[in-house]
């Protein structure tokens, strides 16, 4: 029996369906992560240490990518990736957080969703195992954008988050770094009594260190997240750029998603994350052009050190930095996993 040929309308509808299916299948997905930028020199790494850092970066970026590959949201992907980095003692966030002057740990984090520009942040929390989770709860379950200190922890408890002892963030190598920083500042104070001048004598390595992630999902939405233990030997409840929307974290589907790492005071003053996205949106720059301009031409001449990871809604990734190294990794549906530590990786 001969089948009745399709009418023109039916044929057109079938082709449209196939076209939409193919388009959906080809939607780009992408993720990039960082574990901080700074004075990262290959000579200071044993082969075993370098491999351990690379393995953790690869684990985090591939865990985030797996979420995207299964159709998960960019928010879920970056939360997954940053959680892994927070749980590692290698990076200055969560378990690997640096010490304050008072030998405690004060943690900051933020997250932002590019579709709606909703955002959440926490600053100066001491008893939150994964600050990025609390930042997301602030975004999704509160009427605020940023909560700090004790108030943030009261909110956390109301949301069912268990508080942890601050000592769970203790690590021997971070304590040694605190001792070195205090010793350097004490020697500097003997020459100049001002705290500001003494603090400026500290090397870059004491002033930087963050983790972060940016991602694009199959729905075309981008997101960014950043988490940190802040600055070694920090005092007076100092807050850096990581929890500041526009400085350390920014995401807007109209431009790009950015997570920053570096000397936070400069990233706040120059509104780095939002500035990069503004150059993309209003000047028509690529993320590579915008990122390079801000990191190398705006920040570096005034003494701002660090880097950023950037993704746009086409799945392009850029990871510029002006320091000797930046822990970083990326993966897209068209590019395999890439992991880098040093400048020429």
């Amino acid at each position: 029996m001969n089948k009745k040929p399709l009418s023109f309308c039916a044929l057109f509808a079938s082709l449209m369906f196939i076209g939409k299916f193919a388009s959906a299948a080809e939607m780009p997905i992408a993720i990039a992560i960082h574990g901080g930028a700074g004075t990262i020199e290959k000579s200071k790494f044993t082969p075993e240490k370098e491999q351990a850092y690379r393995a953790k970066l690869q684990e985090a970026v591939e865990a985030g990518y797996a979420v995207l590959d299964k159709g998960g949201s960019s928010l879920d992907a970056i939360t997954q990736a940053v959680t892994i980095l927070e749980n590692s003692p290698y990076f200055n966030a969560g378990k690997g957080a640096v010490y304050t002057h008072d030998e405690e740990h004060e943690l900051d984090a933020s997250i932002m969703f590019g579709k709606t520009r909703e955002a959440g942040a926490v600053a100066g929390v001491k008893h939150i195992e994964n600050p990025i989770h609390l930042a997301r709860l602030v975004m999704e379950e509160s009427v605020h954008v940023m909560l700090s200190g004790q108030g943030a922890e009261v909110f956390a408890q109301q949301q069912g988050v268990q508080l942890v002892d601050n000592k769970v963030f203790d690590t021997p190598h971070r304590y040694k770094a605190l001792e070195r920083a205090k010793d350097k500042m004490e020697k500097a104070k003997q020459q100049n009594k001002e705290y500001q001048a003494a603090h400026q004598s500290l090397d870059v390595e004491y002033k930087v260190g963050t983790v972060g992630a940016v991602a694009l999902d199959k729905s075309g939405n981008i997101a960014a997240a950043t988490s940190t233990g802040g600055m070694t030997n920090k005092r007076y409840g100092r807050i850096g750029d990581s929890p500041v929307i526009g400085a350390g974290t920014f995401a807007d589907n109209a431009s790009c998603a950015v997570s920053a790492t570096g000397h936070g005071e400069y990233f706040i003053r120059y509104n780095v994350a939002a500035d990069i996205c503004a150059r993309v949106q209003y000047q028509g720059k690529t993320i590579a052009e915008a990122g390079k301009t801000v990191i190398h031409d705006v920040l570096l001449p005034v003494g701002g050190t660090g880097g950023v990871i950037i993704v746009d809604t086409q799945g392009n990734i850029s990871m510029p930095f002006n320091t000797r190294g930046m822990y970083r990794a990326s993966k897209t549906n068209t590019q395999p996993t890439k992991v880098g530590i040093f400048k020429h990786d």
Side-chain angles (χ1 to χ4, degrees):
M1 182 177 177
N2 293 331
K3 292 183 178 179
K4 185 177 180 181
L6 288 172
S7 67
F8 174 78
C9 290
L11 179 61
F12 180 76
S14 298
L15 290 173
M16 287 293 290
F17 175 80
I18 294 171
K20 287 182 179 179
F21 180 80
S23 176
E26 296 168 3
M27 285 294 291
I29 55 174
I31 184 169
I33 67 169
H34 71 76
T39 309
I40 304 169
E41 299 177 351
K42 193 174 181 66
S43 61
K44 296 182 180 179
F45 282 73
T46 64
E48 293 77 16
K49 180 181 177 181
E50 180 180 337
Q51 178 55 36
Y53 273 82
R54 290 184 184 275
K56 185 57 65 173
L57 290 166
Q58 182 169 339
E59 176 191 347
V61 77
E62 291 187 349
Y65 183 85
V67 173
L68 300 171
D69 195 39
K70 294 174 183 176
S73 72
S74 53
L75 281 171
D76 288 342
I78 60 176
T79 302
Q80 177 68 22
V82 170
T83 298
I84 290 172
L85 297 174
E86 284 182 336
N87 289 341
S88 169
Y90 298 150
F91 308 104
N92 179 17
K95 291 290 196 299
V98 298
Y99 284 80
T100 67
H101 181 79
D102 295 327
E103 302 187 359
E104 292 184 318
H105 309 275
E106 297 174 355
L107 314 177
D108 312 324
S110 63
I111 194 166
M112 187 169 185
F113 187 40
K115 181 180 180 179
T116 60
R117 286 180 55 158
E118 291 176 291
V122 293
V125 296
K126 297 182 180 181
H127 305 97
I128 304 299
E129 187 170 12
N130 289 108
I132 197 62
H133 292 185
L134 184 55
R136 186 164 175 182
L137 283 171
V138 172
M139 178 179 72
E140 296 178 339
E141 302 296 335
S142 83
V143 296
H144 307 298
V145 170
M146 182 185 290
L147 300 180
S148 67
Q150 184 178 358
E153 294 185 352
V154 170
F155 172 76
Q157 290 178 292
Q158 291 176 352
Q159 295 298 315
V161 177
Q162 296 294 317
L163 302 188
V164 298
D165 192 304
N166 192 253
K167 291 188 179 298
V168 304
F169 306 113
D170 289 356
T171 51
H173 69 289
R174 296 299 189 195
Y175 190 75
K176 289 179 181 178
L178 174 67
E179 291 180 318
R180 291 195 300 270
K182 285 186 173 182
D183 183 59
K184 283 178 177 288
M185 285 193 66
E186 188 60 36
K187 290 177 179 177
K189 282 166 61 178
Q190 292 175 5
Q191 298 177 346
N192 191 318
K193 300 300 183 182
E194 293 185 3
Y195 173 81
Q196 184 174 355
H199 183 270
Q200 288 174 345
S201 71
L202 288 178
D203 297 331
V204 171
E205 64 180 290
Y206 298 107
K207 302 174 184 178
V208 299
T210 321
V211 306
V214 294
L216 165 69
D217 61 32
K218 290 182 179 180
S219 297
N221 296 318
I222 55 179
T226 312
S227 181
T228 188
M231 181 183 290
T232 302
N233 199 34
K234 62 183 180 181
R235 302 181 72 177
Y236 316 119
R238 178 262 185 187
I239 302 297
D241 65 303
S242 296
V244 179
I245 300 303
T249 302
F250 194 77
D252 187 345
N253 281 8
S255 53
C256 58
V258 178
S259 174
T261 173
H263 192 165
E265 279 67 16
Y266 290 92
F267 283 71
I268 293 171
R269 287 163 53 195
Y270 288 86
N271 201 35
V272 167
D275 185 17
I276 291 171
C277 292
R279 291 169 189 266
V280 171
Q281 183 174 359
Y282 302 120
Q283 295 182 352
K285 302 292 187 182
T286 66
I287 58 172
E289 292 169 336
K292 180 178 181 295
T293 297
V294 173
I295 295 301
H296 292 282
D297 300 338
V298 176
L299 278 183
L300 193 57
V302 297
T305 53
V308 292
I309 52 174
I310 319 167
V311 68
D312 64 20
T313 53
Q314 286 74 52
N316 299 308
I317 289 173
S318 184
M319 298 185 283
F321 56 96
N322 61 28
T323 52
R324 294 183 183 178
M326 182 170 77
Y327 299 106
R328 60 200 186 275
S330 64
K331 186 172 186 176
T332 77
N333 61 314
T334 60
Q335 295 183 337
T337 302
K338 296 180 180 179
V339 178
I341 297 177
F342 314 110
K343 184 178 286 290
H344 300 296
D345 278 341

